[in-house]
Amino acid sequence: MRAMHISPEHPMLSAVVDDLATRGWSQQALFLPADLVRALAAECRRRHAEGELNPAGVGRGASQEVREAIRGDQIQWIDPGQADACDRYLEAMDCLRQAINRSLFLGLEDFECHFALYPPGAFYRRHLDRFRDDDRRSVSAVFYLNEDWQPQDGGQLRMFLADEVEHDVLPLAGSLVVFLSGDVPHEVLPAGRERLSLTGWFRRRGNEPF
């Protein structure tokens, strides 16, 4: 039986929770071990090579459409049981869900996520992660898989914070960014090389879509 790398009592989870409570976002370096980060990156590239990633759309339901002028990433949703590395990641994120619920009482019920691959030059315009007709997405989580990423490679996550403050995050392997889905507008800047991440949302029971 493999050992869990993170438990609900891990101090890094407490740091994420404290950040969410005080400022609505958190950035943590080396959130998971390097071997798991490499395995996740390899899984993402394997799926891409086998044609399993598809152009991401904007909107939801019947109104969803691919609009490369807004976003240019390719994605595939993750389900339990598909790959060991993915299962380990989902276990870690469930520990984070429990930690958030225990301290912030957000009532987060589940976590959904997908691989996201941005080809060179791709970007995602400024947006919020919460849909106008569905308020279940409460906390966003982005985990990066890019080894040896340099500032000149671009691809930063830019968050638009209070008082017109902008905060840029390099998509460095092992880094985790967590923020309140309905409160933090953000964008992905164009990258000069292939950019990999796991992007997901902790969801609560909310109003049914109309």
Side-chain angles (χ1 to χ4, degrees):
M1 179 181 294
R2 65 178 185 276
M4 279 293 295
H5 295 290
I6 284 187
S7 73
E9 292 76 32
H10 195 286
M12 192 177 293
L13 301 186
S14 297
V16 172
V17 171
D18 290 345
D19 287 344
L20 287 175
T22 56
R23 63 185 185 183
W25 65 278
S26 183
Q27 179 180 347
Q28 302 292 327
L30 305 178
F31 182 69
L32 292 173
D35 66 324
L36 179 53
V37 177
R38 286 192 290 269
L40 288 166
E43 178 67 14
C44 182
R45 291 194 175 95
R46 181 194 67 78
R47 296 182 185 207
H48 182 240
E50 295 181 3
E52 297 179 11
L53 274 64
N54 296 302
V58 296
R60 64 187 305 274
S63 64
Q64 188 177 76
E65 58 181 334
V66 174
R67 299 179 62 183
E68 293 184 357
I70 296 178
R71 67 183 296 187
D73 55 324
Q74 301 173 31
I75 68 170
Q76 188 189 42
W77 293 92
I78 292 173
D79 292 315
Q82 293 177 333
D84 180 71
C86 295
D87 286 348
R88 291 168 63 191
Y89 180 72
L90 292 175
E91 290 172 13
M93 299 311 285
D94 194 61
C95 288
L96 178 54
R97 181 189 65 83
Q98 295 176 52
I100 294 172
N101 278 344
R102 189 166 57 246
S103 297
L104 302 184
F105 308 106
L106 293 185
L108 304 178
E109 291 198 332
D110 60 23
F111 179 71
E112 60 176 3
C113 72
H114 59 63
F115 281 117
L117 184 150
Y118 285 78
F123 54 84
Y124 195 164
R125 298 293 188 198
R126 178 171 172 162
H127 63 284
L128 277 173
D129 280 351
R130 181 175 289 175
F131 297 115
R132 293 179 181 177
D133 64 345
D134 187 343
D135 64 357
R136 287 176 293 178
R137 286 182 176 177
S138 295
V139 179
S140 302
V142 187
F143 185 66
Y144 294 110
L145 308 175
N146 310 289
E147 291 193 81
D148 303 318
W149 196 273
Q150 303 298 319
Q152 59 267 27
D153 294 326
Q156 295 91 341
L157 173 71
R158 174 166 292 170
M159 296 188 289
F160 300 92
L161 307 174
D163 301 320
E164 299 184 355
V165 172
E166 296 178 1
H167 177 71
D168 287 356
V169 179
L170 277 179
L172 293 166
S175 296
L176 176 73
V177 180
V178 180
F179 53 89
L180 298 178
S181 301
D183 295 349
V184 181
H186 54 284
E187 66 179 339
V188 176
L189 303 181
R193 52 180 277 206
E194 189 175 79
R195 177 188 187 277
L196 309 178
S197 67
L198 280 160
T199 302
W201 300 271
F202 295 99
R203 302 187 304 176
R204 63 180 178 85
R205 183 185 299 277
N207 296 330
E208 290 298 321
F210 55 79

